[in-house]
Amino acid sequence: MDQKNFSPLIYDYLKKYQEDPTSRIFAPLAEAYRKAGLLDEAIEIAREGLRVHPGFVGGKVALARSLFDKREYDEVVNELSSVVREVPDNLVAQRLLAESSLMLGRVSEALSA
């Protein structure tokens, strides 16, 4: 892992995650990795966290944002379809789902998101 991209924020989240791998700190850690351009690390940490907290919306959104940045639009749709049904006011999830659907040429799905 290229540590020159690590911000102090990543170190802080990583330390907390290592102290308690069952905490929900994985979501902000994944987001910090994503913002640093470390998409594979972001996806990996989000998936690990979701194994412990499968229903955690913040974790699903963090995973979906990284998948979107990697242009894995099918996976974004798979992750977020249940989120927007369960939490329809989650605007980030709605936007990512709509944009991913558009990228896949699914205009009617995008308009309903």
Side-chain angles (χ1 to χ4, degrees):
M1 203 178 299
D2 185 6
Q3 295 200 353
K4 72 179 187 280
N5 289 335
F6 274 24
S7 69
L9 194 57
I10 290 176
Y11 281 121
D12 195 37
Y13 288 142
L14 188 56
K15 182 175 185 264
K16 289 176 184 171
Y17 180 74
Q18 288 169 338
E19 288 170 0
D20 182 6
T22 64
S23 79
R24 290 184 173 190
I25 198 75
F26 76 89
L29 173 58
E31 186 63 14
Y33 276 143
R34 183 187 74 82
K35 287 179 180 176
L38 301 168
L39 298 178
D40 291 333
E41 291 82 353
I43 291 167
E44 181 181 338
I45 206 79
R47 285 191 170 139
E48 282 179 25
L50 285 168
R51 278 193 275 284
V52 177
H53 301 283
F56 180 43
V57 170
K60 289 181 179 187
V61 171
L63 174 58
R65 290 177 82 147
S66 297
L67 291 167
F68 184 86
D69 287 358
K70 259 193 111 163
R71 298 182 170 94
E72 301 285 344
Y73 305 118
D74 276 322
E75 288 190 56
V76 174
V77 171
N78 289 339
E79 281 300 321
L80 294 181
S81 293
S82 63
V83 171
V84 297
R85 277 194 306 273
E86 295 166 23
V87 190
D89 60 340
N90 187 315
L91 300 180
V92 173
Q94 291 279 4
R95 183 183 57 78
L96 281 172
L97 181 61
E99 288 181 22
S100 296
S101 296
L102 275 178
M103 298 304 283
L104 293 167
R106 301 174 186 165
V107 177
S108 62
E109 288 177 34
L111 290 173
S112 67

